[in-house]
């Protein structure tokens, strides 16, 4: 499976292309909001989300019939930023299940800033 192509098509909100990456009975899970989707529901949730999107894949790991990605996603005006960790279970070269964990990027909590612990990654 072309994981970089997948992310390109998801960010472009290209419903037809997105559909081609999945099995017909695929299940998608967004754990942070306690939601599960059929493929068609996922396409609606992704493609009807407002705005134009961009991003980049920061990391890819592969093991047997699974892929794991870390991606940074943001609107084209870069007014927001998110990171998503995605676990893909494949059946052949198609996605059978996709488990995603989305997080807003932002500053550390005030209590850690006040304690002066941690430092920027980049």
């Amino acid at each position: 499976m072309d994981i970089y192509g997948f992310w390109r098509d998801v960010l472009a909100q290209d419903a037809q292309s997105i559909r081609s990456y999945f099995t017909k009975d695929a299940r998608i899970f967004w754990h942070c909001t306690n939601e599960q989707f059929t493929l068609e529901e996922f396409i609606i949730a992704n493609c009807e989300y407002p705005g134009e999107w961009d991003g980049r894949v920061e990391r890819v790991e592969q093991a047997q019939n699974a892929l794991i990605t870390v991606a940074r996603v943001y609107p084209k005006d870069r007014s927001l930023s998110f990171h998503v960790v995605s676990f893909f279970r494949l059946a052949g070269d198609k996605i059978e299940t996709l488990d995603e964990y989305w997080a807003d990027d932002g500053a550390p909590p005030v209590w850690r800033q006040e304690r002066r612990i941690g430092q920027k990654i980049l």
Side-chain angles (χ1 to χ4, degrees):
M1 186 182 120
D2 176 9
I3 197 64
Y4 293 97
F6 169 82
W7 274 108
R8 180 190 63 241
D9 293 336
V10 165
L11 292 169
Q13 297 173 304
D14 182 339
Q16 193 60 36
S17 293
I18 292 169
R19 193 174 281 109
S20 72
Y21 292 95
F22 289 87
T23 63
K24 283 185 186 180
D25 59 347
R27 301 302 286 177
I28 297 90
F29 302 91
W30 286 354
H31 294 275
C32 296
T33 52
N34 194 30
E35 296 175 278
Q36 69 174 303
F37 302 98
T38 65
L39 173 56
E40 293 307 314
E41 291 170 334
F42 172 75
I43 289 171
I44 292 168
N46 185 77
C47 295
E48 293 183 15
Y49 198 89
E52 292 185 327
W53 296 89
D54 205 352
R56 62 186 160 92
V57 175
E58 294 183 342
R59 183 173 177 174
V60 177
E61 299 290 335
Q62 187 168 4
Q64 297 176 4
N65 69 335
L67 287 171
I68 302 164
T69 64
V70 176
R72 182 169 176 227
V73 176
Y74 40 84
K76 288 194 175 185
D77 69 4
R78 294 190 181 240
S79 58
L80 301 168
S81 179
F82 307 92
H83 271 87
V84 56
V85 178
S86 304
F87 295 84
F88 301 81
R89 188 172 65 207
L90 305 176
D93 65 345
K94 301 281 186 179
I95 302 165
E96 185 172 54
T97 61
L98 174 56
D99 291 88
E100 291 192 314
Y101 300 85
W102 286 81
D104 296 347
D105 292 337
V110 171
W111 75 268
R112 285 203 302 266
Q113 292 179 41
E114 289 172 348
R115 294 292 311 264
R116 298 178 193 257
I117 59 173
Q119 53 189 294
K120 289 187 179 191
I121 295 170
L122 300 175

